[in-house]
């Protein structure tokens, strides 16, 4: 009787609804793979002084895999309810790590100007800190421009990882130029969104405090 009542009440049946995704799911595994690829990518890129076309091709393959997993792990986590606390922390770290490592190594090898690396890394770090600055007021969603920026950065950096010459070397310069412009423009747009979001949040808090004070006076 008691077992039947519990079942009828829905006690045991609620467990699947509140089941949390385990750490070892496909989305987190892809994120971990991306983290592991960072040191592997760096070693491949700088091997033999970073002058070997073959080793840089291997580095490009590692970078490409990292970029592809970046696309799929978030999609899988959202689609199949595989979002975990680990994924929320590790995913953005993996994203910044692979791109930051690539930019710093390319600049260190003399293939990419340090100011380009500085602009991109400053933007990425600044936007991350800004998201935490306004997080209590709301979340700044990823914009279409931000996604295009990420694609442009990945394409440009990937082309710089390869040993290219002639028209392709010129073309990659223009791709990187587009990526830098998008980096700056989308960064400014995120700043605008953050300011608007924070102002709205502060105004809402003031209104709530005023309403609470009025109710207290009415009593």
């Amino acid at each position: 009787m008691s077992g039947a009542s519990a079942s009828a009440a829905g006690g045991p049946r609620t467990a699947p609804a509140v089941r949390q995704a385990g750490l070892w799911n496909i989305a987190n595994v892809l994120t971990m793979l991306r983290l592991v690829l960072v040191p592997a990518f760096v070693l491949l890129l700088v091997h033999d002084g970073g002058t070997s076309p073959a080793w840089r091709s291997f580095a490009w393959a590692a970078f490409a895999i990292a970029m592809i997993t970046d696309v799929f792990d978030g999609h899988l986590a959202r689609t199949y309810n595989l979002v975990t606390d680990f994924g929320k922390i590790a995913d953005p770290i993996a994203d910044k790590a692979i791109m930051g490592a690539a930019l710093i190594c390319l600049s260190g090898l003399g293939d990419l100007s340090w100011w380009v690396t500085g602009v991109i890394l400053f933007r990425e770090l600044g936007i991350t800190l800004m998201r935490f600055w306004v997080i209590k007021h709301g979340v700044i969603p990823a914009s279409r421009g931000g996604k295009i920026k990420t694609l442009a950065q990945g394409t440009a950096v990937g082309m710089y990882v390869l040993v290219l010459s002639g028209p392709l070397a010129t073309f990659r310069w223009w791709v990187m130029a587009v990526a830098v412009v998008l980096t700056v423009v989308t960064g400014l747009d995120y700043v605008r969104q953050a300011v608007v979001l924070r102002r709205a949040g502060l105004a809402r808090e003031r209104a709530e405090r005023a309403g609470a004070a009025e109710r207290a006076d009415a009593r």
Side-chain angles (χ1 to χ4, degrees):
M1 288 292 293
S2 60
S5 299
S7 177
R13 296 176 183 173
T14 59
V18 298
R19 180 179 61 85
Q20 296 294 317
L23 174 64
W24 293 101
N25 61 66
I26 183 60
N28 283 349
V29 169
L30 289 177
T31 299
M32 294 176 195
L33 173 62
R34 199 155 73 256
L35 286 169
V36 171
L37 281 173
V38 174
F41 163 77
V42 170
L43 292 174
L44 291 169
L45 181 59
V46 302
H47 185 79
D48 199 20
T51 60
S52 170
W55 284 103
R56 291 188 66 146
S57 295
F58 294 143
W60 177 87
F63 182 80
I65 292 172
M67 292 294 99
I68 293 171
T69 58
D70 180 28
V71 173
F72 283 105
D73 60 359
H75 174 73
L76 290 171
R78 292 186 296 270
T79 302
Y80 298 101
N81 193 28
L82 301 176
V83 178
T84 63
D85 290 337
F86 171 82
K88 292 177 183 177
I89 297 173
D91 184 66
I93 291 176
D95 297 344
K96 302 297 185 295
I98 188 68
M99 184 60 68
L103 290 167
I104 292 172
C105 286
L106 288 171
S107 292
L109 292 171
D111 296 328
L112 186 65
S113 298
W114 276 107
W115 73 265
V116 174
T117 294
V119 167
I120 295 177
L121 293 185
F122 178 79
R123 187 268 192 197
E124 299 301 332
L125 178 60
I127 295 302
T128 299
L129 294 176
M130 191 173 59
R131 286 179 183 275
F132 284 109
W133 180 53
V134 300
I135 194 168
K136 72 173 184 177
H137 303 297
V139 176
I140 304 176
S143 66
R144 184 185 296 268
K147 294 177 181 177
I148 296 174
K149 177 270 304 178
T150 300
L151 177 61
Q153 283 184 359
T155 302
V157 170
M159 294 182 73
Y160 269 86
V161 169
L162 291 170
V163 177
L164 302 178
S165 60
L168 286 177
T170 302
F171 179 67
R172 74 180 178 184
W173 186 93
W174 285 105
V175 176
M176 181 59 77
V178 171
V180 171
V181 170
L182 289 173
T183 296
V184 174
V185 171
T186 56
L188 293 174
D189 183 60
Y190 275 119
V191 171
R192 179 192 62 80
Q193 292 185 60
V195 171
V196 171
L197 184 62
R198 187 170 187 273
R199 286 177 177 174
L202 292 175
R204 185 168 56 251
E205 290 177 358
R206 286 193 295 268
E208 290 173 354
R209 287 196 297 268
E214 289 177 1
R215 289 191 296 271
D217 293 339
R219 293 175 185 173

